[in-house]
Amino acid sequence: MTTALLRTADELHARARAGRRAVVMTMGALHEGHATLIRAAREIAGDQGEVVVTVFVNPLQFGKGEDLDRYPRTLDADRKIAEQAGADVVFAPAADEVYPGGEPQVRVSAGPMGERLEGAVRPGHFDGMLTVVAKLLHLTRPDVALYGQKDAQQLALIRRMVRDLNFGVEIVGVPTVREEDGLALSSRNRYLSPEERRTALALSQALFAGRDRHAAQEALRARAREVPATRARAEALSAIGESRAAADAHAVAKAVPAEHSGVRAAARLVLDEAARLRPPLVLDYLALVDPSDFTEIEDDFTGEAVLAVAARVGTTRLIDNIPLTFGAAS
């Protein structure tokens, strides 16, 4: 299969469509994370459908002093990666195809969710992101669009826009792809020197530390639920040496009702250590949030959550996150 390179929406619309069209939106500089998205799109579209990969470096997403000019443009290599992963089309429009009148006067507002975390650090970023996503959804007319969960706040905002503004498209999130050492795949990883990369590993290590603390605390809570805190039970357990384990489990369950502070503390410890490295990690934020609105969760929160981190190493800014599930205490 040869992947077509198209530059205009008219060319794309002229293609015959039999099955579902699945779209993967990128800013180019494709890597294995993008290839995973394309393969997932191929599976969803099936043999009769069509997979379209967009390549467009959106100027609206870059604030003052950010790396728009520095962002890598590698269209020939991108096309090869897209083809190998199963794409039918690479849609690489020029800026005047996406914004025919120059910068748009009417834009999509990300609202309060777009002002938190990434939005607080990069004002206006999510307005620009949602505006180009809306434009590209109109230009490509997909049945389904796929996005990586590494950009969890972006994914949440796209889902909200599609729901609130009645876009007729299904949004699918694809799990984060990591390198062997745990670093989340990103086009910006290529900017890191070997020393900076060693420091950057703290992002994923902090998330894994939080995840491990969460798993340990959940196990203790499960143990506490299995062992009633009664004097008779404690006396019976002491005969076989289990009273201390039961007491510890109950103490943890009572001291940390939903484990949230322990998760944050475990992740923060790794990040604090990385701040003392050379080069140091400079933290933008560490947050444990509700993925529906990206507000910090309370100690009694149960359900799906996201542990998210963003930091700078040298001149490179990186983000990462992992999902966690907090169960209700009984």
Side-chain angles (χ1 to χ4, degrees):
M1 179 187 68
T2 300
T3 299
L5 175 62
L6 304 181
R7 298 287 191 172
T8 70
D10 287 343
E11 292 176 306
L12 184 58
H13 299 164
R15 291 176 61 89
R17 295 179 61 174
R20 304 180 80 196
R21 175 176 286 171
V23 166
V24 174
M25 296 182 186
T26 82
M27 292 205 299
L30 301 192
H31 50 63
E32 179 57 27
H34 297 110
T36 299
L37 285 167
I38 297 166
R39 288 192 290 267
R42 180 79 273 163
E43 185 173 347
I44 289 172
D47 293 339
Q48 300 303 311
E50 182 179 58
V51 174
V52 177
V53 177
T54 70
V55 175
F56 180 67
V57 181
N58 178 33
L60 301 189
Q61 288 176 233
F62 292 80
K64 184 177 180 180
E66 293 189 332
D67 55 356
L68 173 60
D69 294 334
R70 186 185 177 203
Y71 198 88
R73 275 80 165 174
T74 57
L75 184 58
D76 290 341
D78 294 343
R79 186 179 179 183
K80 291 179 182 177
I81 291 172
E83 184 169 287
Q84 291 169 357
D88 298 290
V89 174
V90 168
F91 178 54
D96 58 3
E97 176 74 10
V98 180
Y99 303 120
E103 286 200 11
Q105 295 185 38
V106 177
R107 307 188 186 197
V108 178
S109 170
M113 196 194 326
E115 298 172 357
R116 299 171 186 138
L117 299 188
E118 283 298 291
V121 177
R122 305 175 67 190
H125 166 72
F126 285 126
D127 291 355
M129 179 276 294
L130 289 179
T131 298
V132 80
V133 167
K135 294 276 287 185
L136 289 172
L137 288 175
H138 290 311
L139 291 171
T140 60
R141 302 176 183 173
D143 300 289
V144 57
L146 296 88
Y147 302 89
Q149 291 178 355
K150 184 179 80 71
D151 298 295
Q153 192 172 4
Q154 169 179 286
L155 175 59
L157 281 162
I158 291 171
R159 283 179 165 150
R160 188 61 185 247
M161 177 183 72
V162 165
R163 182 171 67 251
D164 287 356
L165 301 184
N166 300 100
F167 281 71
V169 60
E170 177 187 356
I171 302 299
V172 173
V174 177
T176 300
V177 179
R178 299 184 179 279
E179 302 194 37
E180 290 186 3
D181 56 11
L183 189 67
L185 282 174
S186 169
S187 301
R188 291 186 169 91
N189 290 353
R190 67 185 65 194
Y191 300 151
L192 298 169
S193 69
E195 295 78 14
E196 289 171 340
R197 185 186 172 87
R198 284 194 288 272
T199 296
L201 289 176
L203 274 79
S204 57
Q205 290 168 351
L207 297 178
F208 298 158
R211 178 193 62 192
D212 292 346
R213 175 66 65 86
H214 171 259
Q217 291 176 322
E218 283 289 334
L220 283 172
R221 288 172 58 79
R223 176 63 174 159
R225 291 193 289 270
E226 292 172 1
V227 183
T230 65
R231 179 182 294 275
R233 178 62 171 164
E235 290 174 352
L237 287 171
S238 66
I240 56 174
E242 295 185 10
S243 58
R244 178 60 181 273
D248 287 350
H250 281 292
V252 169
K254 290 179 180 179
V256 188
E259 302 95 33
H260 309 76
S261 60
V263 169
R264 292 186 182 96
R268 174 70 70 169
L269 182 62
V270 175
L271 297 170
D272 287 347
E273 291 176 354
R276 294 189 287 271
L277 297 176
R278 290 292 178 269
L281 181 141
V282 180
L283 184 66
D284 278 346
Y285 61 77
L286 171 70
L288 186 57
V289 298
D290 181 339
S292 69
D293 59 8
F294 271 70
T295 57
E296 286 278 352
I297 61 176
E298 302 293 337
D299 286 343
D300 59 353
F301 178 90
T302 60
E304 299 295 321
V306 171
L307 181 62
V309 63
R312 297 177 188 274
V313 182
T315 60
T316 303
R317 186 173 183 275
L318 300 170
I319 63 172
D320 201 353
N321 71 86
I322 56 170
L324 297 173
T325 302
F326 291 90
S330 60

